[in-house]
Each structure stands twice: as C-alpha cells, then as structure tokens.
Amino acid sequence: MITESDISLAVPDDAVAIAALSRRVIEHGLEWRWTAPRLLASMADADTNVVVARRGTDLLGFAVMKYGEEEAHLLLLATQPRCRRQGVGSTLLAWLEGTLRVAGIRTVKLETRSGNAGAQAFYRHHGFVEINRRSGYYQGVEDAVSYLKQLGLPGA
Ligand SMILES: CC(C)(COP(=O)(O)OP(=O)(O)OC[C@H]1O[C@@H](n2cnc3c(N)ncnc32)[C@H](O)[C@@H]1OP(=O)(O)O)[C@@H](O)C(=O)NCCC(=O)NCCS
C-alpha cells in the first residue's frame, strides 16, 4: 500500500526518468515537450512543484503542479503502467491537494487528452468536473478536455 509518506519533491537526478515516463505514457504521438531540461527548470521554479511517488529507489509515478494566486494548474500526472490501480495516482493527487489547502488555493484545473478515457475516469472519481473542450490543444493532433475541482475549506 502506498501512503503520502512515499511522496516527496523530485530531485534533479529524477529528471531523466520522469521525462521518459512522460514521453511514454502522456506525450506518445506528440512532439516531446517535457524533456529533462524542462523538468529541471520546473523543479527550480518557486511556483511549481514536481513530486514523485517512490518506494526505495523505484519511481512509481510523478506529478507537476503550478501554483497561481487563486488557482493551481495540474500540468502532468502519471504512474508506471505496472503499478496502476493501486492508489499511486490518488496519493500523488492527495499530497498536492494538501499543499493547496495550506496555501489557501481552492481551485485546481487541468487538461487531458480527449482520447484518454482512463485519466478522465480518474479525475471524475476525484471530483473534477469537465468545464470545456479545446480543439487541437495538443499540437493540433488531439483535442483537450479541461477539468476543474473546487476544494473544500479546511475542516469542511
Ligand atoms: C490516470 C492515472 C494517473 C491513474 O493512476 P493510478 O495510479 O492508476 O490511479 P489510482 O489507482 O489512484 O485510481 C483511483 C481511481 O481512479 C479511477 N481510475 C483510475 N484509472 C482508471 C482507468 N484506467 N479507468 C477507469 N477508472 C480509473 C478508479 O475509480 C480508481 O479506483 P479503483 O482502482 O478502486 O477502481 C494513470 O492511469 C496514468 O498514469 N495514465 C497515463 C498518464 C495519464 O493519462 N495522465 C493523466 C493526464 S496528464
């Protein structure tokens, strides 16, 4: 079982593995944008968290979230295919939502590929609602579906 104690901020040595996972399970069929240098820049950006789920040296999954004044944008989230449906994605998301509550940010948005039914089911399971569709958002190759979640107030 995975818990939030298995989640931590990524370190520079994680960049290559995260980039490879993004390319394989998120950016397949698209030009590779989330390369190791971009991830390193995200790790160095004070308004962005790159987080990993790790057991020992095994990277189980990762997420990238950018924080604004009023809302956050979940840019990427993925788990290794071999450990799907074991709560890894949910634990990454719960950890990030914890940071939003501490920061007083109540809104989180994201886009996912329109053909990615599994991710959309995952986000709906976690209370995200579809807000719109964006034609050709992914390099003109695929539409995006945008989702939004309003977090409850602390203690609610
Ligand atoms: C979407 C993704 C992150 C989910 O990660 P995960 O670790 O498997 O998620 P969890 O085990 O925490 O799933 C929690 C719940 O979400 C729902 N869910 C997750 N994956 C699902 C799928 N493929 N189909 C339907 N429902 C799904 C289920 O309700 C699941 O609970 P259950 O297993 O008890 O039925 C993972 O499938 C993934 O990395 N996909 C490729 C990358 C991607 O699409 N990222 C999102 C867009 S950036």
Side-chain angles (χ1 to χ4, degrees), residues 67-98:
Y67 300 75
E69 289 290 321
E70 304 285 333
E71 64 181 40
H73 195 174
L74 182 56
L75 298 172
L76 295 177
L77 187 154
T79 59
Q80 297 281 5
R82 63 185 153 74
C83 60
R84 300 259 166 93
R85 308 300 287 265
Q86 296 172 34
V88 177
S90 297
T91 308
L92 282 161
L93 186 60
W95 193 98
L96 289 167
E97 289 186 357

Side-chain angles (χ1 to χ4, degrees), residues 112-115 133-138 140-145:
T112 184
R113 293 172 74 163
S114 59
R133 289 184 177 246
R134 302 169 79 166
S135 180
Y137 180 86
Y138 290 102
V141 170
E142 189 168 343
D143 297 346
V145 187

Side-chain angles (χ1 to χ4, degrees), residues 10 37 43 62 72 99 117 125:
M43 288 176 204
F62 76 95
T99 67
H125 173 81

Side-chain angles (χ1 to χ4, degrees), residues 11-83:
V11 295
D13 279 353
D14 294 322
V16 168
I18 293 172
L21 184 57
S22 177
R23 184 181 201 182
R24 185 156 66 102
V25 304
I26 297 176
E27 300 180 86
H28 49 87
L30 302 174
E31 186 187 326
W32 191 14
R33 298 264 169 92
W34 284 94
T35 58
R38 185 175 179 189
L39 284 155
L40 288 168
S42 294
M43 288 176 204
D45 175 10
D47 295 329
T48 303
N49 270 344
V50 182
V51 298
V52 291
R54 205 192 306 271
R55 183 155 295 140
T57 57
D58 196 10
L59 186 92
L60 307 179
F62 76 95
V64 181
M65 178 173 271
K66 189 165 181 68
Y67 300 75
E69 289 290 321
E70 304 285 333
E71 64 181 40
H73 195 174
L74 182 56
L75 298 172
L76 295 177
L77 187 154
T79 59
Q80 297 281 5
R82 63 185 153 74
C83 60

